[in-house]
Amino acid sequence: MNTTVITFIHEDLQHEAILVKHKGSSNKLRDTLTRQFEEERRTITLVDVVIFLMKNSKKYQIIQNEYFWNESEFRKSELFKSANNEIEFASDMFFN
């Protein structure tokens, strides 16, 4: 099993992060999420990703989620250190 941290970075550089345990590569997870939200043609949010992961709980297990005030705090966190891979999204990313 792999562990991937999915981060949403806001304009003020605050980070929302989810630690996910899953089979397969983080690239496949990124592609799956990207494809999912491209189809819906809208802004992707942390809540959207959590709901998607929970609906697919046989493939993905959310271990932890946290909010960090800045990138430095995030990079020093146990959540970040326990992940094998990282997927980053801008908080205002829009798929069109």
Side-chain angles (χ1 to χ4, degrees):
M1 290 289 242
N2 289 320
T3 50
T4 299
V5 63
I6 301 171
T7 57
F8 282 80
I9 303 170
H10 298 274
E11 287 179 13
D12 58 4
L13 301 182
Q14 293 179 354
H15 283 54
E16 291 179 292
I18 314 167
L19 185 61
V20 180
K21 187 183 284 188
H22 60 97
K23 292 181 181 176
S25 72
S26 61
N27 287 338
K28 185 174 180 185
L29 175 56
R30 175 194 298 275
D31 292 346
T32 300
L33 291 171
T34 302
R35 190 170 41 256
Q36 172 70 26
F37 295 103
E38 279 177 342
E39 289 171 5
E40 295 178 13
R41 293 179 169 264
R42 62 184 183 82
T43 304
I44 182 173
T45 68
L46 179 85
V47 173
D48 294 324
V49 171
V50 168
I51 290 169
F52 174 80
L53 295 172
M54 289 174 70
K55 284 181 180 177
N56 294 281
S57 61
K58 290 182 179 177
K59 294 182 181 180
Y60 311 109
Q61 178 186 359
I62 299 172
I63 300 171
Q64 183 179 355
N65 66 314
E66 281 189 53
Y67 189 84
F68 300 95
W69 291 105
N70 55 51
E71 185 173 358
S72 175
E73 180 183 304
F74 167 66
R75 301 276 174 208
K76 293 176 188 172
S77 72
E78 288 301 315
L79 183 147
F80 176 74
K81 291 176 184 174
S82 61
N84 297 333
N85 302 290
E86 180 179 6
I87 297 173
E88 269 185 17
F89 290 108
S91 61
D92 60 351
M93 185 174 287
F94 184 79
F95 291 101
N96 54 10

